[in-house]
Amino acid sequence: MAALYNSSLFTLTFLLLIATAFAEIRSTQIRSDSRSTIPFDEFGYTHFGRLNLTVTDISFSNPKSGPGSQLGFFLVTREAWQHVLDQLQDSEIRCTLHSDLVKRVFVFDQLQPSDRRFTTSFSVSDANQFTLLFANCMPNLAVSMSVHSVMYNYNPKNGQFDFLSAGKTALPAIYFLFFVIYVLFGGLWVYALYRKRLSVYGIHFFMLAVVILKALNLLCEAEDKSYIKKTGTAHGWDVLFYIFSFLKGISLFTLIVLIGTGWSFLKPYLQDKEKKVLMIVIPLQVVANLAQVVIDETGPFGENSYTWKQVFLLVDIVCCCAVLFPIVWSIKNLREAAKTDGKAAVNLMKLTLFRQYYVVVICYIYFTRVVVYALETITSYRYQWTSVVAAEAATLAFYVFTGYNFRPKAHNPYFAIDDEEEEAASEALKLEDEFEL
């Protein structure tokens, strides 16, 4: 009983730590697994939900045990699961399948001793987020099987099936809307480059490439979720999504590093330490994208999914910290240059801009990594789309801020400065030592 409780507690921790994945048609292989509780997938149901479950190649480590009431599949909500754990701890029940708080999908006592497969369909009328689990309440019994699960909601208004979890069914439209916004943003950026073509640097074309990759990434994600919504599978759009997501991630972090160094618009080269930052960030982004692919494809409860998620979080944090160093170095270089080149007003404007950019990058990283994750955790399953909107809106705001403040500009205003402004800037720079990064 203690082993059963500990295993169940581990499963609950797993549920809380792993962010919900986009449910779809999923196949899972179980080989010689003796865990008392095996989680498979999570899905937000409406009042017209359904689960189709097909299990094949069933075998046991002890053939004499055979199927029985101690083995079976069930659905449970996160809230109910905590009470089931309490029932197990208080010895009110000996098996999770015996709790009246779970929805038993299929119990193995319905099988004949010679049966090695079954197919069942289960209707869900309670609107809530459920987790599909397998219970094995027989000590020292290992189970092997192939599990094919299909979770979806039925829309009685149009007679269609929706394979996206309730609360995420609006994601295709949301991603497509942001795609249109980035297309317009890209068009405005091209127009700005054309108008100020005499003041355009290489970094401005790189910024355009980042916007294009972001737009393509959103388009592929919109199509990916649209096909999953209609059919339960991505039909190849997930491959394109991963490709553009990989390119977008690397290009965005590279852009932040290049802007932080002042490449092309402040200096035409990168110092060795700045090149080393890029050599660290780019390979780490490769690892982060690989981890994200594994997490998405194996689902929230796939093999080693938790480990890969920890790898992703660690690598992402390291990348976010690494891109801040070039901005700090540029701020220090501008501060030192202001004391020697006699252009206090110009350097003060540049210094103020880099300080603002430093703060904005920190805010962007904090919001998209911490606030959005908290929003995913506390938000009801019906409103899971809000975390996506928040993340995409924050990213769009960051792109707009970066584009506006580092847009092509004529250099003349920097030099149209009288002696009084220069003197005032010199006094302001004397106070810069009070600014601590």
Side-chain angles (χ1 to χ4, degrees):
M1 184 59 66
L4 178 62
Y5 174 73
N6 291 334
S7 179
S8 301
L9 185 59
F10 169 79
T11 305
L12 176 64
T13 306
F14 216 59
L15 285 169
L16 294 176
L17 290 178
I18 300 294
T20 56
F22 297 102
E24 55 189 82
I25 298 174
R26 195 178 300 280
S27 297
T28 308
Q29 304 292 325
I30 301 297
R31 292 293 176 261
S32 301
D33 198 327
S34 59
R35 285 178 293 171
S36 62
T37 308
I38 304 176
F40 285 94
D41 212 343
E42 240 179 348
F43 194 76
Y45 282 106
T46 64
H47 293 290
F48 303 94
R50 182 168 288 275
L51 163 64
N52 295 336
L53 185 66
T54 300
V55 181
T56 59
D57 302 325
I58 302 172
S59 63
F60 307 100
S61 59
N62 183 6
K64 295 181 179 180
S65 299
S69 61
Q70 306 294 308
L71 301 169
F73 290 87
F74 66 96
L75 291 171
V76 66
T77 64
R78 293 189 179 188
E79 297 79 9
W81 184 244
Q82 181 59 57
H83 296 293
V84 173
L85 292 176
D86 294 337
Q87 290 178 330
L88 289 168
Q89 187 177 26
D90 298 337
S91 300
E92 296 179 15
I93 57 175
R94 298 181 58 83
C95 180
T96 51
L97 291 172
H98 300 160
S99 174
D100 56 356
L101 300 176
V102 305
K103 295 181 179 294
R104 286 175 287 277
V105 176
F106 188 89
V107 182
F108 276 33
D109 59 1
Q110 302 175 46
L111 292 175
Q112 298 298 323
S114 59
D115 290 342
R116 290 294 175 262
R117 60 172 296 148
F118 69 86
T119 299
T120 186
S121 183
F122 187 81
S123 297
V124 181
S125 58
D126 298 333
N128 209 327
Q129 182 164 290
F130 287 90
T131 304
L132 174 65
L133 303 103
F134 175 77
N136 177 5
C137 302
M138 301 182 69
N140 303 319
L141 178 66
V143 180
S144 298
M145 56 186 168
S146 299
V147 181
H148 182 76
S149 61
V150 182
M151 293 175 163
Y152 59 91
N153 291 309
Y154 174 74
N155 189 337
K157 295 181 179 180
N158 54 25
Q160 296 181 345
F161 297 147
D162 189 345
F163 292 87
L164 280 180
S165 178
K168 296 180 179 178
T169 186
L171 287 184
I174 291 173
Y175 284 126
F176 187 78
L177 174 61
F178 277 101
F179 161 73
V180 173
I181 293 174
Y182 276 97
V183 169
L184 296 176
F185 183 40
L188 289 174
W189 189 249
V190 171
Y191 176 70
L193 297 184
Y194 177 77
R195 283 194 60 193
K196 302 289 184 178
R197 53 188 177 275
L198 298 179
S199 303
V200 172
Y201 295 98
I203 192 69
H204 296 122
F205 291 108
F206 192 85
M207 293 165 74
L208 176 61
V210 171
V211 173
I212 293 174
L213 288 173
K214 176 63 177 177
L216 292 174
N217 174 246
L218 286 168
L219 177 63
C220 292
E221 191 156 15
E223 289 298 319
D224 176 51
K225 298 302 177 288
S226 178
Y227 272 95
I228 292 177
K229 176 184 174 71
K230 296 175 182 177
T231 66
T233 57
H235 292 275
W237 280 100
D238 53 341
V239 177
L240 290 175
F241 163 69
Y242 292 135
I243 292 174
F244 285 113
S245 180
F246 167 72
L247 295 175
K248 181 263 300 179
I250 289 181
S251 62
L252 176 59
F253 276 93
T254 303
L255 176 63
I256 295 175
V257 171
L258 292 178
I259 290 179
T261 62
W263 175 76
S264 111
F265 62 92
L266 285 185
K267 58 185 180 183
Y269 60 89
L270 293 176
Q271 297 177 352
D272 288 339
K273 62 181 180 180
E274 295 164 348
K275 293 179 181 178
K276 289 178 181 178
V277 172
L278 283 176
M279 291 173 63
I280 293 173
V281 170
I282 292 177
L284 286 178
Q285 276 297 297
V286 174
V287 176
N289 281 273
L290 174 63
Q292 190 61 60
V293 171
V294 174
I295 294 169
D296 290 344
E297 290 301 308
T298 59
F301 308 114
E303 185 178 2
N304 299 323
S305 179
Y306 179 75
T307 302
W308 278 106
K309 188 167 184 64
Q310 298 306 304
V311 170
F312 172 77
L313 291 175
L314 176 62
V315 170
D316 196 46
I317 290 173
V318 173
C319 286
C320 291
C321 294
V323 298
L324 294 175
F325 285 103
I327 306 177
V328 175
W329 295 334
S330 293
I331 292 175
K332 291 182 177 179
N333 291 337
L334 286 171
R335 185 183 299 164
E336 293 173 359
K339 299 176 182 179
T340 59
D341 63 5
K343 298 179 181 179
V346 174
N347 284 298
L348 179 61
M349 284 189 284
K350 293 177 181 178
L351 184 58
T352 302
L353 177 58
F354 273 85
R355 285 173 53 181
Q356 291 175 347
Y357 191 63
Y358 175 82
V359 173
V360 168
V361 170
I362 291 179
C363 292
Y364 169 70
I365 292 173
Y366 179 80
F367 188 89
T368 54
R369 270 65 179 176
V370 179
V371 176
V372 171
Y373 179 77
L375 193 61
E376 290 178 355
T377 304
I378 65 176
T379 303
S380 168
Y381 80 98
R382 298 185 185 89
Y383 306 105
Q384 286 291 309
W385 57 269
T386 57
S387 61
V388 174
V389 172
E392 293 299 337
T395 302
L396 178 62
F398 178 72
Y399 277 51
V400 171
F401 175 87
T402 303
Y404 179 79
N405 285 278
F406 295 95
R407 68 191 184 278
K409 296 179 182 178
H411 293 286
N412 291 335
Y414 287 144
F415 299 100
I417 299 172
D418 57 30
D419 293 338
E420 292 183 1
E421 291 176 326
E422 185 72 19
E423 191 173 324
S426 298
E427 292 297 324
L429 283 169
K430 292 178 182 179
L431 302 176
E432 283 301 318
D433 290 336
E434 298 177 7
F435 176 72
E436 296 292 340
L437 292 177

